[in-house]
């Protein structure tokens, strides 16, 4: 007998039967556990007090707001505020929502789930205190059942947000209920919030074992027998596996049950093919379905090897990552999913396959998109623990100020709860492949500098330096330290223990800024994967002295040398450039610069020069692009003897030049550095049809071809010199702005109150050539039932208001974002600029 054939016949029959049963069950009304709770809120900034003396408050004259909402981004940039948070304010805000009770308390239980409120939030229902959540990045929920009024009566939910410590992070945090809120209603016998955990312990091309841990809670006064069943659906909605058990649970208790299913011929989740499944778990009592819980998941395997790196589905995989902060430019931190999607599409096009959530948990919706689009995620939890960081600098706290006090105030009491709630929410996302407990925490434990010896007189500095002390000498220094309240190694081991209490299927990591000292003191021992923050020259030293540890990059400069540290060393499998996208904040004393300049995309999601560079490194499809900057602004010079473009110093070879742009407009005869970025072996440069010679990629240490060209108006072309490949990039000189080109990335929106369209404007000359060296004001007039979320030009030194309908361009371009309401119809966006003919783009809402 062919047992393999028999097994798959059984799979087929079970799936067929499951399909019939599932089809029948879906004829019944489905259980609706979750309700969108983002609409119908009132909001007011408080001026005088951090205490609410009487709750609920009279709110008839408050603003109407729709969540997610970030009140800080609505303000004007103010040079007297703090650059660490982008010169924007915090404050004290109160939200209230009126809603009716729908179910009897003895029949149903009702919960409210907040995915993120920044920060120091306190919650009331009908004047009864529910609780608090100080950390602005962790999800939290409350049981409302006992405080709800009777069926049909009104309830008032009040949320007080105290962000008076407005500079409590080293980046822009935003303020308010800036993530989604859900109202969850369940039977007294139910699967609680985050009550399932799906793992795939055995995965092959032929079959995958799927384990599902299901927690069941019985709030009834009696023991309850029930049937627990799970069906797994593929992306097309076809059932592929099922299981069912008759169980019982005692009164007033909860219990975890384990189910095991086998999926034949599974479609695996990876970064190129992010295949998803759904596990639909139901509780049936006396033939009636009382609860249904849907868990999206992916089937994939992870393996980390201390010598050979990372394997996704047993395939050796380079992690081409970017660090991101959680703001989305003009929308602040209340980022619509469509804004992230546009940015993700551009990152994917450049070859990015991984994201590090720096330095805090992101939203559940963000991870949904990572699952869908195929990004690996390093899920990071904390930026400070026992001791505070200086919010103006990434170092230990220099002075104690009220408005810069941060999460350290709460870590001892709330650290375990914040970590575990975040993990319970995130652990079913296949995109999450590492848990990072912290970022550059060593700065706040000052003894780590002393232990390393890298700050000793005459040591020569710590940046990428090889230690002069041995590990034994470092350990002796550490052991000789006087006793102190907090020890990082002990804290890290405690956090690692908490992580493994929730999930052992992914490794624990952290971003180490002084890895040599962290290895010697026991901090690194708490980690499964030891992440390096920039110190790539210390990889081999650490591996030599700690051969059983796995070392990799978790924060890196956007340099080719950082990428080569991976390709030249099989152990080092990941690079996360700092950062993939410009982000608001971390701009201490840099006014008017309000944002940190990233490598690939600017604040508006427009491509930067670094996007071209890394697309040429991280993708295989033939690619070529031209970018230019004036020699007078360059980090490069022209060698007098050879006439070649050479770096002014060794540091410049790493290439991090933010000046290069895609235009060909300079002063006559001005020397311009022309850069050709390509993944092809050779390219030729032509100016007005005249060849300026060819350059071989192998001769370019940083993979960028350069020519020094006296400016002459006309057409600049770069042609690939490669057999059977005919691709060309070109730039043309533009004359004065004569028109505006308006494009919308979406011309049809869903009337769901969430869908967005990016309306991009580019100044062009009479021939349609982009004008990137002249700036002028652009006005957006919106006719129709949509929200204008704001405007931006992408420049990190622009201090124009985001909440406006006009903006001065940068590089001749700007953008507005509109968001649908819940009505259908056609919206017209009229775009005008002084002296130019107005243009209109239409967007349908249906």
């Amino acid at each position: 007998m062919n047992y393999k054939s028999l097994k798959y016949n059984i799979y087929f029959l079970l799936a067929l039967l499951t399909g019939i049963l599932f089809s029948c069950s879906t004829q019944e009304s489905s259980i609706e556990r979750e309700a969108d709770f983002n609409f119908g809120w009132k909001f007011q900034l408080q001026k005088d007090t951090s205490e609410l003396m009487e709750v609920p408050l009279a709110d008839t004259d408050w603003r109407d707001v729709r969540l997610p909402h970030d009140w800080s981004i609505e303000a004007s940039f103010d040079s007297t505020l703090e650059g660490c948070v982008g010169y924007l304010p915090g404050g004290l805000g109160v939200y209230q929502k009126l809603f009716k009770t729908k179910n009897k308390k003895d029949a149903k239980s009702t919960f409210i789930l907040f995915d993120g409120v920044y920060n120091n939030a306190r919650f009331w229902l009908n004047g009864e205190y529910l609780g608090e959540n100080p950390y602005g990045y962790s999800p939290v929920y409350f049981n409302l059942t006992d405080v709800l009024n009777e069926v049909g009566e009104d309830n008032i939910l009040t949320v007080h947000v105290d962000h008076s410590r407005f500079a409590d992070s080293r980046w822009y945090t935003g303020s308010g209920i800036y993530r989604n809120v859900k109202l969850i209603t369940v039977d007294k016998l139910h699967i609680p919030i985050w009550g399932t955990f799906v793992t795939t312990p055995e995965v092959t091309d032929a079959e995958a074992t799927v384990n599902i841990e299901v927690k069941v809670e019985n709030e009834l006064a009696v023991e309850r027998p029930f049937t627990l069943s799970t069906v797994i659906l593929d992306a097309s909605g076809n059932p592929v596996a099922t299981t069912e058990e008759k169980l019982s649970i005692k009164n007033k208790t909860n219990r975890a049950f384990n189910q095991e299913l086998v999926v034949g011929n599974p479609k695996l989740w990876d970064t190129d093919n992010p295949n998803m499944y759904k596990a639909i778990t139901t509780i049936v009592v006396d033939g009636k379905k009382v609860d249904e819980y849907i868990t999206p998941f992916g089937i994939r395997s992870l393996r980390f090897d201390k010598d050979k790196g990372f394997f996704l589905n047993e395939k050796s995989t380079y992690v081409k990552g970017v660090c991101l902060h959680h703001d989305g430019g003009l929308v602040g931190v209340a980022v619509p999913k469509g804004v992230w999607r546009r940015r993700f599409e551009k990152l994917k096009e450049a070859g990015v396959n991984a994201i590090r959530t720096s330095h805090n948990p992101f939203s559940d919706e963000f991870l949904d998109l990572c699952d869908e689009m195929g990004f690996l995620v390093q899920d990071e939890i904390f930026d400070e623990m026992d001791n505070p960081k200086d919010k103006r600098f990434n170092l230990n706290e220099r002075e104690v100020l009220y408005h810069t006090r941060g999460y350290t105030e709460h870590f001892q009491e709330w650290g375990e709860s914040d970590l575990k709630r975040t993990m319970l929410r995130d652990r079913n996302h296949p995109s999450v492949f590492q848990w990072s407990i912290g970022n550059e925490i060593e700065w706040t434990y000052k003894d780590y500098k002393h232990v390393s010896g890298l700050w000793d007189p005459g040591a020569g500095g710590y940046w990428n330096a090889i230690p002069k002390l041995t590990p034994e000498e470092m350990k002796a220094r550490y052991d000789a330290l006087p006793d102190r309240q907090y020890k990082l190694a002990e804290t890290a081991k405690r956090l690692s223990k908490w992580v493994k209490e929730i999930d052992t299927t992914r490794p624990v990591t952290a971003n180490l800024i002084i890895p040599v000292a962290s290895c010697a003191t026991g901090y690194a021992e708490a980690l499964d994967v030891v992440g390096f923050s920039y110190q790539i020259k210390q990889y081999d030293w650490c591996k030599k002295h700690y051969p059983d540890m796995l070392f990799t990059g978790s924060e890196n400069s956007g340099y080719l040398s950082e990428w080569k540290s991976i390709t030249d060393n099989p152990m080092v499998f990941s690079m996360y450039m700092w950062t993939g996208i410009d982000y608001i904040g971390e701009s201490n004393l840099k006014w008017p610069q309000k944002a940190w300049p990233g490598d690939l995309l600017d604040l508006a999601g427009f491509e930067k020069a670094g996007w071209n560079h890394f697309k040429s490194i991280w993708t295989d499809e033939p690619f070529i692009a031209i970018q230019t900057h004036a020699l007078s602004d360059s980090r490069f010079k022209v060698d007098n003897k050879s006439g070649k473009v050479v770096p002014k110093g060794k540091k410049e070879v790493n290439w991090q030049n933010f000046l290069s742009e895609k235009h060909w407009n300079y002063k006559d005869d001005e020397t311009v550095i022309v850069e050709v970025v390509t993944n092809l072996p050779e390219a030729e440069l032509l100016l007005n049809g005249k060849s300026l010679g060819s350059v071989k990629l192998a001769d370019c240490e940083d993979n960028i071809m350069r020519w020094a060209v006296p400016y002459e108006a006309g057409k600049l072309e770069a042609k690939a010199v490669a057999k059977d490949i005919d691709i060309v990039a070109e730039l043309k000189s533009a004359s004065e702005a004569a028109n505006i080109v308006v494009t919308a990335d979406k011309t049809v929106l869903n009337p769901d109150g969430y869908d967005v369209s990016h309306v991009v404007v580019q100044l062009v000359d009479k021939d349609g050539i982009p004008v990137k060296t002249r700036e002028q004001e652009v006005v957006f007039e919106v006719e129709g039932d949509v929200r204008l979320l704001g405007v931006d030009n992408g420049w990190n030194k622009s201090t124009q208001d985001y909440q406006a309908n006009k903006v001065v361009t940068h590089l001749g371009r700007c953008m507005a974002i509109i968001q649908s309401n819940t009505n259908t119809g056609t919206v017209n966006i009229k775009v005008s600029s002084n002296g130019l003919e107005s243009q209109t783009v239409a967007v349908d809402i249906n």
Side-chain angles (χ1 to χ4, degrees):
M1 179 181 288
N2 186 333
Y3 288 99
K4 185 174 182 179
S5 175
L6 176 61
K7 181 169 66 173
Y8 285 114
N9 285 333
I10 293 173
Y11 286 156
F12 175 78
L13 291 172
L14 285 174
L16 181 62
L17 179 60
T18 299
I20 295 170
L21 294 174
F22 182 74
S23 176
C24 292
S25 67
T26 55
Q27 301 305 311
E28 305 172 9
S29 58
S30 60
I31 303 252
E32 187 174 334
R33 286 176 54 106
E34 298 182 352
D36 186 327
F37 217 57
N38 288 335
F39 294 79
W41 288 80
K42 294 279 191 175
F43 170 74
Q44 177 177 271
L45 281 172
Q46 301 286 294
K47 296 180 179 178
D48 313 348
T49 177
S50 61
E51 296 295 327
L52 297 185
M53 305 304 294
E54 193 174 316
V55 178
L57 303 175
D59 59 15
T60 54
D61 59 346
W62 293 12
R63 287 172 53 195
D64 293 316
V65 297
R66 178 196 306 171
L67 306 182
H69 174 242
D70 173 7
W71 80 66
S72 292
I73 205 67
E74 299 171 349
S76 296
F77 296 99
D78 184 344
S79 63
T80 66
L81 297 177
E82 295 285 359
C84 58
V85 288
Y87 303 101
L88 289 169
L92 302 159
V94 183
Y95 296 83
Q96 286 194 159
K97 180 176 171 68
L98 184 74
F99 67 101
K100 293 186 181 294
T101 304
K102 290 187 176 181
N103 298 288
K104 292 182 179 180
K105 299 177 186 180
D106 60 353
K108 299 283 185 179
S109 293
T110 304
F111 298 82
I112 186 80
L113 170 61
F114 294 87
D115 200 40
V117 183
Y118 206 89
N119 64 349
N120 297 305
R122 292 178 294 157
F123 307 84
W124 291 263
L125 180 65
N126 299 327
E128 295 290 330
Y129 185 61
L130 299 173
E132 64 178 322
N133 194 45
Y135 196 33
Y137 301 114
S138 60
V140 64
Y141 66 86
F142 301 99
N143 191 336
L144 307 181
T145 310
D146 293 340
V147 192
L148 285 170
N149 291 323
E150 297 303 317
V151 174
E153 294 183 1
D154 289 335
N155 302 278
I156 298 180
L157 184 66
T158 305
V159 182
H160 185 226
V161 184
D162 181 357
H163 196 201
S164 55
R165 296 173 178 83
F166 69 94
D168 58 356
S169 284
R170 298 180 297 104
W171 56 86
Y172 176 73
T173 64
S175 302
I177 308 178
Y178 71 105
R179 294 181 184 168
N180 291 320
V181 182
K182 296 177 180 178
L183 191 71
I184 298 172
T185 305
V186 293
D187 190 83
K188 293 298 182 181
L189 181 67
H190 63 270
I191 300 167
I193 295 169
W194 312 321
T196 64
F197 183 28
V198 180
T199 58
T200 55
E202 298 178 19
V203 177
T204 68
D205 291 338
E207 64 179 42
T209 301
V210 179
N211 283 340
I212 304 179
E213 178 187 279
V214 182
K215 185 175 286 186
V216 177
E217 182 160 1
N218 181 11
E219 295 184 289
L220 297 167
V222 296
E223 183 173 353
R224 179 68 75 196
F226 64 96
T227 300
L228 184 69
S229 65
T230 295
V231 58
I232 296 178
L233 307 180
D234 65 16
S236 299
N238 300 313
V240 294
T242 186
T243 187
E244 181 177 289
E245 298 175 272
K246 294 188 181 301
L247 303 166
S248 183
I249 185 170
K250 293 183 178 180
N251 58 305
K252 302 294 183 182
T253 189
N254 64 72
R255 179 182 166 190
F257 299 92
N258 289 297
Q259 298 182 322
E260 182 177 294
L261 302 92
V262 176
V263 175
N265 300 312
K267 295 180 179 179
L268 305 187
W269 186 97
D270 62 27
T271 56
D272 294 323
N273 301 286
N275 298 300
M276 293 291 292
Y277 289 84
K278 286 182 181 178
I280 301 181
T281 304
T282 59
I283 296 176
V284 175
V285 176
D286 296 331
K288 179 183 178 182
K289 182 165 61 176
V290 299
D291 196 20
E292 180 179 271
Y293 196 102
I294 300 175
T295 310
F297 72 98
I299 297 175
R300 51 101 176 103
S301 67
L302 309 173
R303 181 163 66 87
F304 296 82
D305 187 282
K306 65 183 179 64
D307 299 311
K308 297 179 181 179
F310 169 58
F311 295 80
L312 177 60
N313 300 327
E314 291 304 321
K315 178 182 178 182
S316 179
T317 301
Y318 285 141
V319 174
K320 305 171 182 178
V322 294
C323 300
L324 295 182
H325 272 309
H326 72 147
D327 76 86
L330 72 89
V331 295
V333 298
V335 189
K337 195 172 183 178
V339 171
W340 280 126
R341 183 182 297 278
R342 173 176 174 264
R343 293 171 176 227
F344 281 8
E345 287 171 349
K346 291 178 180 289
L347 293 178
K348 268 284 183 181
E349 191 177 345
V352 176
N353 68 3
I355 293 167
R356 173 176 170 234
T357 65
S358 314
H359 304 290
N360 50 265
F362 281 26
S363 70
D364 192 34
E365 190 172 55
F366 181 96
L367 295 179
D368 285 342
L369 201 55
C370 292
D371 291 344
E372 175 191 334
M373 298 184 70
F375 288 94
L376 295 162
V377 174
Q378 184 183 108
D379 201 334
E380 194 157 79
I381 311 295
F382 299 122
D383 188 55
E384 53 183 13
M385 298 175 185
D386 299 317
N387 305 310
K389 284 185 178 177
D390 191 296
K391 305 309 182 296
R392 300 183 179 102
F393 305 93
N394 189 20
L395 298 168
N396 59 289
E397 189 172 59
R398 300 185 180 190
E399 57 180 326
V400 177
L401 299 171
Y402 174 83
H403 70 281
T404 62
R405 304 303 289 171
Y407 183 65
T408 293
E409 303 287 300
H410 308 287
F411 175 72
Q412 304 305 327
E413 179 181 355
W414 287 86
E416 180 178 5
S417 175
D418 287 322
L419 179 147
K420 287 185 174 180
R421 277 182 279 123
T422 298
M423 289 186 62
L424 287 169
R425 183 198 66 179
D426 295 352
R427 64 183 180 174
N428 286 318
H429 288 282
S431 56
V432 176
F433 83 127
Q434 293 176 319
W435 303 111
S436 172
I437 57 175
N439 168 63
E440 297 187 358
I441 299 295
E442 298 103 312
W443 289 137
T444 65
Y445 299 80
K446 292 180 285 186
D447 45 278
Y448 273 67
K449 292 183 179 180
H450 166 69
V451 166
S452 73
L454 298 174
W455 278 263
D456 289 357
Y462 82 99
W463 198 257
N464 266 323
I466 303 303
K468 294 181 179 180
L469 299 181
T470 66
E472 292 74 21
E473 289 170 326
M474 291 186 200
K475 182 66 164 57
R477 282 191 175 195
Y478 183 74
D479 291 341
L481 291 169
D483 197 22
R484 49 219 180 275
Q485 184 177 10
Y486 301 118
K487 298 176 182 178
L488 177 52
E490 294 177 359
T491 297
K493 289 173 183 175
R494 190 164 72 251
L495 265 67
S496 182
K497 175 177 174 289
W498 294 341
V499 170
K500 292 176 187 287
E501 286 172 357
I502 301 296
D503 178 24
T504 59
T505 68
R506 302 167 175 93
V508 179
T509 188
N511 186 42
L512 308 187
I513 190 63
I514 317 175
V516 295
S518 295
C519 289
T521 58
Y523 176 20
E525 291 178 8
L527 309 174
D528 303 307
V529 177
V530 181
F532 278 40
S533 193
Y534 303 102
Q535 313 292 349
I536 62 175
K537 291 184 179 178
Q538 295 175 2
Y539 284 139
D540 290 339
W541 187 92
C542 286
K543 188 64 174 177
K544 174 183 176 183
H545 294 287
Y546 305 95
D548 292 329
M549 289 187 181
L550 195 165
F551 302 103
T552 192
S554 50
E555 187 169 322
N556 306 82
S557 300
Y559 298 156
L560 180 62
S561 60
E562 303 272 321
W563 177 242
K564 287 184 175 179
S565 73
I566 297 173
T567 57
D568 292 347
N569 190 333
M571 167 189 68
V572 184
F573 60 85
S574 66
M575 168 184 174
Y576 295 89
M577 69 173 67
W578 189 265
T579 56
I581 306 176
D582 293 10
Y583 61 92
I584 304 172
E586 204 159 353
S587 298
N588 182 51
L589 302 178
K590 295 178 181 179
W591 179 269
Q593 180 178 316
K594 67 177 186 293
W596 183 276
D599 290 290
L600 304 183
L601 304 176
D602 69 15
L603 285 167
F606 295 138
E607 297 158 11
K608 302 175 70 170
W611 187 90
N612 290 330
H613 190 211
F614 271 85
K615 181 178 172 81
S616 73
I617 295 168
W618 280 352
T619 65
D620 296 325
E621 184 179 348
F623 172 73
I624 193 167
I626 309 176
Q627 53 206 33
T628 66
H629 63 272
L631 176 64
S632 58
D633 295 328
S634 184
R635 295 181 177 184
F636 290 78
K637 63 183 181 180
V638 180
D639 182 75
N640 291 330
K641 292 183 178 179
S642 67
K644 294 181 177 181
V645 179
V646 296
K648 290 180 178 178
K650 184 67 176 175
K651 183 179 179 181
E652 274 66 34
V653 176
N654 279 320
W655 194 86
Q656 195 177 30
N657 194 329
F658 301 113
L659 299 172
S660 294
E661 290 295 345
K662 293 182 179 181
H663 72 77
W664 187 236
N665 278 85
Y666 295 89
K667 297 175 182 177
D668 288 344
D669 294 323
E670 179 180 7
T671 301
V672 179
I673 301 298
V674 177
E675 299 173 337
V676 174
V677 182
T678 184
N679 51 14
L680 299 169
E682 186 176 357
E684 179 186 15
L685 186 69
L686 300 95
L687 177 57
N688 294 324
K690 180 182 177 181
S691 177
L692 302 181
S694 298
V695 173
K696 288 181 168 56
L697 192 63
D699 295 333
C700 303
E701 189 174 349
D702 60 358
N703 276 39
I704 297 178
M705 304 170 181
R706 292 184 178 87
W707 288 257
V709 181
Y711 176 72
E712 175 186 309
K715 182 168 72 171
L716 193 66
E717 294 177 278
K719 292 184 176 182
V721 180
K723 185 178 180 181
D724 299 327
I725 296 177
D726 183 19
I727 59 172
V728 179
E730 66 176 38
L731 296 176
K732 293 181 179 180
S733 302
S735 55
E736 293 298 316
N739 204 347
I740 50 180
V741 173
V742 184
T743 57
D745 68 338
K746 294 186 71 174
T747 56
V748 178
L749 298 181
N750 292 318
D752 58 4
Y754 297 106
D755 208 2
V756 296
S757 178
H758 299 77
V759 181
V760 175
V761 176
Q762 176 67 58
L763 303 177
V764 297
D765 71 3
K766 59 183 177 55
D767 297 315
I769 300 169
V771 176
K772 298 196 173 185
T773 55
R774 298 286 188 274
E775 312 302 346
Q776 59 190 73
E777 186 177 81
V778 172
V779 179
F780 296 85
E781 298 176 75
V782 180
E783 298 177 356
D785 190 11
V786 292
R787 301 169 72 198
L788 175 63
L789 296 182
V791 293
D792 190 18
N793 62 18
W795 191 30
N796 67 3
K797 293 184 179 180
S798 170
T799 56
Q800 302 173 81
D801 286 356
Y802 281 141
Q803 302 284 302
N805 74 327
K806 58 185 178 180
V807 62
V808 175
T809 61
H810 177 62
L811 300 175
R813 66 189 175 192
C814 61
M815 180 183 70
I817 300 178
I818 62 168
Q819 185 174 51
S820 69
N821 288 317
T822 55
N823 295 319
T824 60
T826 298
V827 174
N828 292 307
I829 302 101
K830 180 182 177 182
V831 182
S832 57
S833 188
N834 188 36
L836 305 179
E837 184 178 351
S838 299
Q839 303 292 326
T840 300
V841 62
V843 176
D844 291 327
I845 317 293
N846 59 46

